[in-house]
Amino acid sequence: MAKVASSKGYDEALSGDLQVSDEDAKIRLGFLIHDAARLRRIVIDEIFKPLRVTRSQAWALAYLSRRDGLTQSDLADDMNLGKVTLSGLIDRLEDVGMVERRADPGDRRIKRIFITKEGRRVIKEMRILTLDCNEQMLDEISHEEVVQVVDVLRKLNRNIKTMKANMAIKDK
């Protein structure tokens, strides 16, 4: 008969060597998601250093690459950042020539953010570095496993967003 996992045996239990309770497996999943994200952030910070871009700046560039010309307000909303925090990020990206602010043609009080030629070059480099990094991170993980994890994480994100929306309703 298989042993029930103790705190030392979580990894073995989750790999199928030991039995683990549903509750323990769910707690461990949350820990592993957090830990994997933390470790990935550390590695991404290191690989982006030669580009002279922080992970936060890279994140802003990635959002803009999908919808270039967003207003600062819309970009802050998309990134779930405060407007002051985003403004500082955009200031630094503008200082190094990766983005530029332009007045909105319909309302000159509104500033839109556009990626410059240098910003596009950096985005291409970020993509190359990220793909190489992901290749190493996913070593020994099959395409099917990646697809399955992506599906699970999408469901998890959807559930969390629903929880967040329900919490906002209760606060009103």
Side-chain angles (χ1 to χ4, degrees):
M1 175 132 213
K3 296 178 187 173
V4 175
S6 67
S7 60
K8 285 203 267 186
Y10 277 126
D11 290 331
E12 293 85 1
L14 291 174
S15 69
D17 296 339
L18 300 172
Q19 290 179 355
V20 64
S21 73
D22 183 58
E23 185 178 272
D24 284 346
K26 289 174 181 173
I27 288 170
R28 188 63 173 173
L29 174 65
F31 173 81
L32 288 171
I33 289 170
H34 176 80
D35 203 38
R38 179 186 62 81
L39 292 169
R40 186 178 189 282
R41 284 191 302 268
I42 291 166
V43 169
I44 293 293
D45 282 342
E46 281 301 310
I47 69 163
F48 282 176
K49 273 185 182 177
L51 299 176
R52 298 177 340 209
V53 65
T54 66
R55 190 176 5 95
S56 297
Q57 291 166 338
W59 188 32
L61 286 170
Y63 269 89
L64 281 171
S65 73
R66 292 179 195 101
R67 294 178 51 204
D68 200 18
L70 282 173
T71 65
Q72 284 189 205
S73 181
D74 287 341
L75 182 58
D77 289 344
D78 284 359
M79 294 179 66
N80 200 24
L81 286 177
K83 291 175 184 153
V84 173
T85 301
L86 177 69
S87 184
L89 266 176
I90 298 305
D91 286 346
R92 289 186 293 283
L93 286 169
E94 196 170 34
D95 289 346
V96 295
M98 292 188 202
V99 301
E100 63 184 11
R101 289 179 174 104
R102 297 183 207 153
D104 183 277
D107 185 344
R108 305 215 30 96
R109 296 171 295 175
I110 296 173
K111 299 290 183 190
R112 294 194 173 272
I113 307 161
F114 292 89
I115 302 169
T116 63
K117 185 177 179 180
E118 174 64 8
R120 291 200 185 287
R121 184 194 67 74
V122 169
I123 289 169
K124 285 179 186 174
E125 289 294 320
M126 286 171 20
R127 182 172 172 80
I128 291 166
L129 291 171
T130 302
L131 287 170
D132 181 55
C133 185
N134 285 344
E135 192 71 31
Q136 292 177 57
M137 286 181 200
L138 298 172
D139 187 40
E140 297 185 29
I141 301 173
S142 72
H143 172 75
E144 292 75 20
E145 289 172 311
V146 170
V147 169
Q148 186 177 17
V149 169
V150 167
D151 186 50
V152 168
L153 290 174
R154 280 189 177 137
K155 290 174 185 175
L156 179 65
N157 284 345
R158 184 183 62 233
N159 291 345
I160 292 169
K161 287 175 184 175
T162 299
M163 288 174 64
K164 185 178 172 196
N166 289 338
M167 290 174 185
I169 291 169
K170 289 179 185 177
D171 289 342
K172 289 183 181 184

